[in-house]
Amino acid sequence: MTGPDFEDRPPDGLRITSYDERHLATYIRLLDADSEGADWRDVVAVIFGLDPDRDPERARTIHDSHLARARWMTEIGYRYLVEPRLQ
């Protein structure tokens, strides 16, 4: 984990996980930064608190995998947020 809150890769399952729910704001921030054309190195430093020069491969993996999950949330995952929860 990069800190107490982030894993190197978010889950990649077909359902929303508690990790996804905890990181909805992070996903939105990543999508916003991407749509604004922000440099991934700046984004990973601000959002994840990583120095991309120190471990560029890991920083890029964390950024890209979380951005991919954020995109999945906008295309598919959001449906699970609005459907009734099983008790």
Side-chain angles (χ1 to χ4, degrees), residues 29-30 32-43 63:
R29 291 176 71 195
L30 285 166
D32 285 346
D34 185 61
S35 72
E36 293 173 4
D39 186 293
W40 73 269
R41 290 174 284 275
D42 295 332
V43 174
H63 174 270

Side-chain angles (χ1 to χ4, degrees), residues 9-82:
R9 293 181 179 272
D12 64 355
L14 298 177
R15 299 291 269 174
I16 290 179
T17 67
S18 60
Y19 184 90
D20 293 319
E21 290 175 347
R22 287 191 315 272
H23 292 90
L24 288 175
T26 299
Y27 295 158
I28 292 168
R29 291 176 71 195
L30 285 166
L31 291 166
D32 285 346
D34 185 61
S35 72
E36 293 173 4
D39 186 293
W40 73 269
R41 290 174 284 275
D42 295 332
V43 174
V44 82
V46 170
I47 294 177
F48 297 99
L50 293 175
D51 178 354
D53 294 328
R54 201 162 178 208
D55 191 350
E57 186 175 320
R58 180 172 179 242
R60 188 65 188 230
T61 295
I62 290 169
H63 174 270
D64 290 355
S65 63
H66 281 80
L67 180 58
R69 188 64 174 183
R71 289 181 177 140
W72 175 85
M73 289 289 291
T74 67
E75 297 164 2
I76 297 166
Y78 75 92
R79 297 177 197 155
Y80 300 112
L81 291 173
V82 297

